[in-house]
Amino acid sequence: DTEVTQTPKHLVMGMTNKKSLKCEQHMGHRAMYWYKQKAKKPPELMFVYSYEKLSINESVPSRFSPECPNSSLLNLHLHALQPEDSALYLCASSQEGRGASFSTDTQYFGPGTRLTVL
Amino acid sequence: SQQGEEDPQALSIQEGENATMNCSYKTSINNLQWYRQNSGRGLVHLILIRSNEREKHSGRLRVTLDTSKKSSSLLITASRAADTASYFCATGGIPNFGNEKLTFGTGTRLTIIP
């Protein structure tokens, strides 16, 4: 299996809702990532997990809460989001999870979740 | 910020022609990668070139890297309609310099006209 899957594909939520995005890979990769991408903009890194531990948090607001329950699964819990949080949320993985440069290795992306916050 | 600037922002060419996109960045890098993104979908890795390499090929793709000018180019030869997509360069920061992540450039929107 050489792909990263993300569910749901689309999500519409109100500002008071709680929802979760899910990402899964079965390539044995030990690093996983969340990115946020606004329309016609490049992806922006949010979080990096290495061996199921949070390695990088790019000063993301606490209304976004990542979780890595095992080496294949990455979740992003959403609560009290704002309309400006509407974006494409991309998950990615890379093979190595250790070493100084693991997070600059080739990354494999999922298809993304299109999130709309009303 | 190490974010790369890509030019052109948009490029339209006839099928069969070659397409060239350029990426410039600001700080020293460990590697530079190119990714393709079809409309509203995930990114697909195309090629990685390390800071000590100058040129790399993969099928119809040719990437060059000039670290003295802090720039890279992606050449797609004999373009096809299926090459229509956005192309992003991504720079990998040097380890232990506080920038151990991929930083994506602004992207080039390529349209191949059949």
Side-chain angles (χ1 to χ4, degrees):
Chain A
D1 191 346
T2 58
E3 67 172 1
V4 177
T5 60
Q6 289 188 245
T7 54
K9 289 184 180 177
H10 302 275
L11 178 63
V12 179
M13 61 186 289
M15 289 189 285
T16 59
N17 292 158
K18 284 185 181 181
K19 297 286 185 183
S20 297
L21 309 184
K22 178 180 171 181
C23 173
E24 203 160 359
Q25 58 88 12
H26 295 287
M27 295 180 279
H29 289 178
R30 301 318 302 262
M32 296 185 77
Y33 310 78
W34 280 115
Y35 287 86
K36 174 183 178 180
Q37 186 180 25
K38 302 283 276 185
K40 302 192 181 202
K41 296 290 187 181
E44 295 180 349
L45 183 66
M46 300 174 72
F47 302 104
V48 179
Y49 271 82
S50 164
Y51 283 82
E52 296 100 70
K53 288 186 171 27
L54 185 63
S55 174
I56 297 176
N57 177 341
E58 290 286 289
S59 303
V60 178
S62 60
R63 57 186 184 269
F64 295 92
S65 175
E67 178 197 18
C68 191
N70 60 56
S71 61
S72 300
L73 192 55
L74 184 67
N75 298 320
L76 186 63
H77 303 297
L78 315 172
H79 174 53
L81 293 193
Q82 303 296 310
E84 59 264 29
D85 296 322
S86 298
L88 181 67
Y89 287 85
L90 295 163
C91 173
S93 68
S94 63
Q95 187 169 10
E96 297 296 331
R98 290 204 177 109
S101 63
F102 77 88
S103 52
T104 63
D105 288 342
T106 298
Q107 295 182 13
Y108 298 82
F109 284 80
T113 293
R114 175 75 60 190
L115 174 67
T116 303
V117 182
L118 301 177
Chain B
S1 168
Q2 188 172 281
Q3 185 179 58
E5 295 277 338
E6 292 184 56
D7 80 273
Q9 289 188 346
L11 177 63
S12 292
I13 59 173
Q14 293 292 134
E15 192 168 18
E17 294 181 338
N18 296 342
T20 299
M21 289 159 268
N22 303 295
C23 170
S24 60
Y25 55 92
K26 296 175 183 172
T27 60
S28 297
I29 61 171
N30 182 42
N31 65 57
L32 187 143
Q33 304 176 36
W34 286 89
Y35 288 81
R36 184 186 75 227
Q37 184 177 36
N38 290 89
S39 182
R41 304 293 291 168
L43 283 76
V44 174
H45 179 259
L46 296 176
I47 200 163
L48 180 153
I49 186 166
R50 301 195 185 284
S51 58
N52 61 353
E53 297 176 309
R54 291 297 166 257
E55 188 171 312
K56 208 160 182 181
H57 297 255
S58 177
R60 294 184 295 114
L61 306 180
R62 172 179 171 254
V63 168
T64 62
L65 179 64
D66 187 335
T67 53
S68 67
K69 294 181 179 177
K70 292 186 170 57
S71 68
S72 173
S73 68
L74 170 67
L75 168 68
I76 303 174
T77 61
S79 63
R80 305 168 181 169
D83 295 329
T84 294
S86 292
Y87 290 81
F88 292 94
C89 67
T91 50
I94 294 179
N96 303 318
F97 272 63
N99 194 29
E100 292 84 4
K101 64 179 184 179
L102 284 185
T103 303
F104 286 82
T106 49
T108 293
R109 174 69 192 168
L110 175 65
T111 301
I112 308 300
I113 304 166

